[in-house]
């Protein structure tokens, strides 16, 4: 039940109680007044002569007294019988000296007064309910706005603010909400900045480790493999020793193969050498080899002129999306589409896996890093997933018209 209905029912009960108590007091006083009028009319009838000896003009002007043999219509016929019985009683009017003491005139006046008071009370009650309606409506409008703003905040829209209110209590509530929203927005900006710095630091550390491994460990593995291959042509070695050298060379080749995959995971050197498009193609090819799943790539050749940091964010975004497919989707195929128009770069990663109705509500660190990388690109990411229907991840990055850079 709404607040307005509760207050209205409570006010209605109070109004009815006051009305009933007022009606009770009114009828009690009216009965007392009628009784006094009847006593006064009976005393007057005792002092008068028989109505048959008086002119009709005099008889008609007497209040509460009518001749016993008067069969004409009596005044006050519009008064309900129950009200007349309540005020004057149900006993027959007394007869004194040929006069019938009849209180109908007085009852009619009381009934008219009762209707007037009841009408005025009803009008006052209606005005009170009307005023209550507008007051509650104004207050509920503010509460509704507050509820909508809180819902927006719960979805991450921390820029929601409410205007000041004329009522002190509502204004204090609005001010507290605005202060809370400002604090949350500030904390979100701080967290986003720290997370962005953490991602940049992570990418730099990966790049550093990849270069160290490539320049040092990679060279050592290449040297060991070359030496093992050279032993195969040494005439002083036995067949067993040559087989051991051959096995050592094969092991080095296997290590180098996994080593290259590790370097690509840590830092895509191909992106520095050949650009973002080639890095994305290499990523899909490598993902197919490691996961054993098919990846259909549809990529626009006109990719934006991203900075190195932006390219890294987009590459890591796609890398995490494909890794999630191989780890969690239980899919047989994935599709990666990259399209560009004048105002936007659109990226979609789709799979035919099991789907997840709770995505991104129960998202892990990988999905959160994807959201942060999308924010660093100035874009918006959407996760569309339903149980049994696979998952779609859509990234939209706005571009500056004419320049091809991120807006």
């Amino acid at each position: 039940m709404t607040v307005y209905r509760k207050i209205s029912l409570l006010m209605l009960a109070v109004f009815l109680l006051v009305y009933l108590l007022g009606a009770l007091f009114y009828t009690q006083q009216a009965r007392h007044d009628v009784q006094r009028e009847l006593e006064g009319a009976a005393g007057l009838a005792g002092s008068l002569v028989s109505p048959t000896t008086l002119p009709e003009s005099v008889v008609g002007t007497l209040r509460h007294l009518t001749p016993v043999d008067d069969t004409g219509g009596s005044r006050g016929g519009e008064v309900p019988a129950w009200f007349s019985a309540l005020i004057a009683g149900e006993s027959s009017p007394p007869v004194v000296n040929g006069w019938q003491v009849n209180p109908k005139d007085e009852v009619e006046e009381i009934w008219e007064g009762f209707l007037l008071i009841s009408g005025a009370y009803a009008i006052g009650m209606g005005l009170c309910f009307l005023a209550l309606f507008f007051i509650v409506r104004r207050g509920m409008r503010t509460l509704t706005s507050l509820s909508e703003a809180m819902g927006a905040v719960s979805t991450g829209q921390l820029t929601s603010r409410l205007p000041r209110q004329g009522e002190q209590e509502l204004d204090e509530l609005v001010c507290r909400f605005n202060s809370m929203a400002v604090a949350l927005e500030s904390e979100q900006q701080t967290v986003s900045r720290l997370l962005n710095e953490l991602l940049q630091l992570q990418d730099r550390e990966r790049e550093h480790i990849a270069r160290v491994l490539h320049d040092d460990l990679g060279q050592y593995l290449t040297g060991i493999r070359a030496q093992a291959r050279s032993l195969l042509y040494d005439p002083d070695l036995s067949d067993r020793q040559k087989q051991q050298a051959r096995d050592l060379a094969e092991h080095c080749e296997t290590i180098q193969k996994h080593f290259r995959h590790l370097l690509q995971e840590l830092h895509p050197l191909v992106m520095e050498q050949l650009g973002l498009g080639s890095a994305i193609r290499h990523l899909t090819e490598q993902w197919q080899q490691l996961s054993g799943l098919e990846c259909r790539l549809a990529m626009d050749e006109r990719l934006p002129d991203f900075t190195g940091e932006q390219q890294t964010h987009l590459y890591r975004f796609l890398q995490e999306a494909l890794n999630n497919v191989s780890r969690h989707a239980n899919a047989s195929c994935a599709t990666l589409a990259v399209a560009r128009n004048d105002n936007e770069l659109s990226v979609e990663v789709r799979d035919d896996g099991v789907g997840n109705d709770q995505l991104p509500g129960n998202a892990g660190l990988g999905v959160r890093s994807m959201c942060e990388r999308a924010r660093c690109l100035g874009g918006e990411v959407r996760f569309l997933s339903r149980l049994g229907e696979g998952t779609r991840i859509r990234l939209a990055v706005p571009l500056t018209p004419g320049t091809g850079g991120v807006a």
Side-chain angles (χ1 to χ4, degrees):
M1 184 180 295
T2 62
V3 175
Y4 176 71
R5 289 185 178 180
K6 289 183 178 180
I7 297 177
S8 297
L9 290 177
L10 179 60
M11 287 187 60
L12 181 60
V14 172
F15 273 115
L16 290 177
L17 179 61
V18 173
Y19 180 79
L20 292 176
L21 291 176
L24 177 62
F25 294 147
Y26 183 84
T27 54
Q28 290 293 336
Q29 183 63 37
R31 293 177 65 179
H32 181 67
D33 293 340
V34 168
Q35 186 63 33
R36 288 189 302 175
E37 289 289 336
L38 290 179
E39 292 177 356
L44 179 61
S47 62
L48 294 176
V49 296
S50 176
T52 56
T53 61
L54 295 176
E56 291 185 3
S57 58
V58 177
V59 173
T61 59
L62 297 177
R63 286 173 54 85
H64 313 317
L65 295 178
T66 58
V68 177
D69 56 355
D70 186 7
T71 58
S74 60
R75 291 173 289 176
E78 296 180 356
V79 180
W82 63 269
F83 188 81
S84 179
L86 179 65
I87 300 301
E90 298 181 356
S91 59
S92 299
V95 177
V96 178
N97 199 17
W99 296 91
Q100 186 178 45
V101 182
N102 194 337
K104 288 186 177 181
D105 291 341
E106 185 71 18
V107 172
E108 182 179 2
E109 293 177 359
I110 295 173
W111 171 249
E112 291 174 352
F114 181 77
L115 291 179
L116 182 62
I117 294 175
S118 298
Y121 190 83
I123 293 174
M125 184 173 63
L127 292 176
C128 288
F129 276 102
L130 186 62
L132 173 67
F133 172 76
F134 283 108
I135 294 174
V136 173
R137 183 181 180 183
R138 178 178 176 82
M140 291 304 298
R141 188 183 297 114
T142 303
L143 293 179
T144 301
S145 300
L146 179 61
S147 176
E148 294 174 353
M150 293 181 68
V153 169
S154 66
T155 59
Q157 302 177 19
L158 301 183
T159 57
S160 299
R161 300 291 186 273
L162 293 176
R164 299 292 297 269
Q165 302 296 313
E167 295 75 14
Q168 180 179 356
E169 293 79 3
L170 295 177
D171 188 64
E172 290 179 357
L173 185 62
V174 165
C175 290
R176 290 183 180 274
F177 169 80
N178 290 338
S179 299
M180 178 195 69
V182 169
L184 288 175
E185 185 179 13
S186 177
E187 289 297 325
Q188 185 192 49
Q189 292 174 353
T190 301
V191 171
S192 297
R193 185 179 66 255
L194 292 177
L195 185 55
N196 185 23
E197 294 176 356
L198 178 62
L199 291 175
Q200 294 180 13
L201 178 62
Q202 184 185 60
D203 292 334
R204 288 196 297 268
E205 287 296 324
R206 285 179 173 180
E207 180 181 358
H208 175 70
I209 294 173
R211 291 190 181 279
V212 171
L213 292 177
H214 180 270
D215 295 339
D216 295 340
L217 185 58
Q219 299 300 326
Y220 283 119
L221 283 174
T222 301
I224 294 173
R225 181 185 176 189
Q227 290 180 1
R229 288 291 184 184
S230 65
L231 292 176
L232 297 178
Y233 303 100
D234 190 344
D236 297 332
L237 297 180
S238 63
D239 293 339
R240 182 173 177 274
Q241 290 173 329
K242 290 182 178 181
Q243 182 62 39
Q244 290 176 342
R246 188 178 294 108
D247 292 340
L248 178 61
E250 291 178 354
H251 289 324
C252 287
E253 183 178 359
T254 301
I255 293 175
Q256 283 184 315
K257 180 180 179 180
H258 291 288
F259 188 67
R260 286 192 294 270
H261 291 319
L262 176 61
L263 291 179
Q264 184 65 24
E265 286 285 336
L266 289 174
H267 182 67
L269 298 177
V270 66
M271 187 164 59
E272 294 182 357
Q273 300 169 357
L274 300 178
L276 179 61
S278 298
I280 293 177
R281 292 190 185 90
H282 187 269
L283 173 64
T284 57
E285 294 172 358
Q286 183 184 23
W287 182 81
Q288 289 184 110
Q289 294 175 1
L290 295 177
S291 65
L293 304 177
E294 180 185 2
C295 182
R296 301 169 185 171
L297 176 62
M299 184 171 61
D300 196 328
E301 297 298 331
R302 303 175 300 112
L303 294 180
D305 298 329
F306 285 151
T307 64
E309 180 181 334
Q310 292 168 346
Q311 289 182 4
T312 300
H313 282 311
L314 181 58
Y315 181 87
R316 295 299 183 191
F317 179 93
L318 298 176
Q319 186 180 47
E320 188 64 43
L322 291 175
N323 288 339
N324 285 339
V325 173
S326 59
R327 294 171 185 169
H328 310 296
N330 193 21
S332 61
C333 177
T335 300
L336 172 58
V338 182
R340 173 193 172 177
N341 55 38
D342 293 337
N343 301 320
E344 184 180 82
L345 177 69
S346 176
V347 179
E348 179 177 283
V349 180
R350 184 173 70 250
D351 65 69
D352 59 353
V354 295
N356 187 349
D357 289 335
Q358 304 300 321
L359 195 69
N362 59 348
L365 183 60
V367 173
R368 294 177 183 175
S369 68
M370 291 171 61
C371 294
E372 182 58 27
R373 292 189 185 276
R375 192 196 64 81
C376 292
L377 288 169
E380 180 181 1
V381 61
R382 296 180 60 192
F383 298 88
L384 308 175
S385 183
R386 297 188 64 180
L387 197 62
E389 298 182 7
T391 300
R392 289 187 179 186
I393 303 175
R394 292 177 178 175
L395 171 65
V397 181
L399 303 177
T400 303
T403 63
V406 176

